[in-house]
Amino acid sequence: MPGSGKSLLSSILKERGYTVIVMGDSVRKRFEKEARHGERLMDYAKRLREIYGEGIVARLSIEELRGREERVVFDGVRNLAEVDEFSRLGKPVIVAVHAPPALRYERLKKRMRADDSLREEDLRRRDLEEIALGVGGVIALADVMVVNDSTEEEFRKRALEALGKIT
Amino acid sequence: MPGSGKSLLSSILKERGYTVIVMGDSVRKRFEKEARHGERLMDYAKRLREIYGEGIVARLSIEELRGREERVVFDGVRNLAEVDEFSRLGKPVIVAVHAPPALRYERLKKRMRADDSLREEDLRRRDLEEIALGVGGVIALADVMVVNDSTEEEFRKRALEALGKIT
Ligand SMILES: Nc1ncnc2c1ncn2[C@@H]1O[C@H](COP(=O)(O)O)[C@@H](O)[C@H]1O
């Protein structure tokens, strides 16, 4: 979920030698070429899913692999169909990062200090949009849950502990 | 999710003085009176939702209160509409209990030792059925996440820690 600390986890894994594919970037690349006038990234992604199926973004991300990577992180899974796509490559390990909404909203507000329009209800609406995509199912079935409700240092500690369980 | 340790959390909270309403029991009571021949509890609950709306089970559970309880646990929230129903009574705190699927399946198999038919794929199907009800969204938006991936003793410790954050 937005503000949970998912990207921080990716960067920790990157430091440890994982290849990180940010799924949002895979969508963004196509979006820049194909978006309709005024279309939001989120709506473009929904349109892609309607045309090519629920797993499309995973397939776009898989296309970015060179085929020689051994340990890959796909950052930004949104539904279980994407997990099925990754399962064709080998057994994926789903890692979820959780933080309480109140804390996520606080972090998001801090991050975008300039943006006054970042109201609680907009953040809530964005959360519900993510959930409508199916991300809740992915979180519910996570193999590893890292809870990021404390300091960044504590999160690093928990992330590395979780990493120990994976490898 | 089934086998996560949700009921254990309820009983810990009960020991601490909370009134616990098991939402499944609220459904079951009506189910016993109104079920169609051969209907499964889950399908009955789905039918109730179609007729009375997504929040119906929460409303049935709220009806069981005497109105004098101060601290109430509703065990078994399945979707965000139910959370909205509880919000009418006061600000609810969503507590999710997470365990990795592999561990949940192991626990469920142990619990129902007699039942040979409890295969991995049936457990998986049941998980997906819970997710279709919307439980993933509730988990994603939990205010407190208790991870039950270790011993029962450790779970108790984490649960009480989490409880400290609530009260
Ligand atoms: N909030 C709910 N809405 C619909 N059905 C429920 C709910 N809570 C429990 N149930 C039903 O009761 C069964 C047992 O619930 P539980 O004890 O929470 O695992 C579930 O598999 C559902 O069929």
Side-chain angles (χ1 to χ4, degrees), chain A:
Chain A
M1 301 294 291
S4 60
K6 172 170 81 64
S7 315
L8 182 54
L9 179 66
S10 287
S11 64
I12 293 171
L13 291 169
K14 200 168 182 174
E15 284 164 25
R16 306 264 144 178
Y18 281 78
T19 301
V20 175
I21 311 273
V22 178
M23 297 176 71
D25 290 347
S26 310
V27 182
R28 211 166 285 116
K29 273 185 214 158
R30 275 188 80 130
F31 173 72
E32 275 155 18
K33 283 184 276 180
E34 296 183 352
R36 290 181 183 156
H37 183 70
E39 192 173 35
R40 292 184 315 154
L41 182 62
M42 176 71 110
D43 292 324
Y44 172 74
K46 277 186 201 159
R47 188 153 64 86
L48 271 187
R49 288 201 179 93
E50 273 160 27
I51 303 172
Y52 301 106
E54 292 286 305
I56 177 64
V57 178
R59 292 204 300 279
L60 293 177
S61 290
I62 290 169
E63 273 174 25
E64 299 195 20
L65 292 178
R66 293 155 184 267
R68 263 170 298 172
E69 298 86 348
E70 298 208 337
R71 304 192 303 169
V72 184
V73 173
F74 293 99
D75 172 344
V77 178
R78 291 297 193 281
N79 67 43
L80 289 168
E82 292 172 350
V83 177
D84 290 340
E85 295 290 341
F86 295 131
S87 300
R88 298 162 184 254
L89 306 179
K91 182 151 180 29
V93 177
I94 306 178
V95 182
V97 181
H98 180 85
L103 194 55
R104 288 193 289 105
Y105 296 172
E106 220 177 86
R107 286 180 191 149
L108 289 169
K109 282 178 191 166
K110 243 182 239 161
R111 197 188 293 174
M112 313 194 163
R113 220 166 334 197
D115 186 356
D116 271 341
S117 75
L118 209 68
R119 287 171 311 164
E120 204 98 330
E121 56 196 275
D122 297 325
L123 297 174
R124 170 88 182 172
R125 196 175 310 119
R126 191 168 144 204
D127 277 1
L128 294 178
E129 211 167 10
E130 297 281 353
I131 286 170
L133 290 179
V135 74
V138 183
I139 295 170
L141 294 183
D143 299 299
V144 181
M145 176 73 67
V146 188
V147 178
N148 184 14
D149 62 355
S150 172
T151 61
E152 186 173 323
E153 200 191 324
E154 178 64 24
F155 179 63
R156 278 186 179 273
K157 213 188 96 200
R158 291 181 191 171
L160 292 176
E161 233 177 81
L163 188 62
K165 284 178 204 161
I166 298 172
T167 46

Side-chain angles (χ1 to χ4, degrees), chain B residues 19-62:
Chain B
T19 301
V20 175
I21 310 272
V22 178
M23 299 177 71
D25 290 346
S26 310
V27 182
R28 213 166 283 118
K29 272 183 216 161
R30 274 187 79 129
F31 172 73
E32 276 156 16
K33 283 184 276 180
E34 296 182 350
R36 290 181 183 155
H37 183 71
E39 192 174 34
R40 291 184 316 153
L41 182 63
M42 177 71 109
D43 292 324
Y44 172 74
K46 279 187 200 159
R47 189 154 64 85
L48 271 188
R49 286 208 178 91
E50 274 160 28
I51 303 172
Y52 301 105
E54 292 286 305
I56 178 62
V57 179
R59 293 205 298 280
L60 293 177
S61 290
I62 289 170

Side-chain angles (χ1 to χ4, degrees), chain B residues 4 6 15 26 40 51 70 88 97 152 159 165:
Chain B
S4 59
K6 174 170 79 65
E15 284 165 23
S26 310
R40 291 184 316 153
I51 303 172
E70 297 208 337
R88 299 164 184 251
V97 181
E152 188 174 321
K165 285 177 204 161

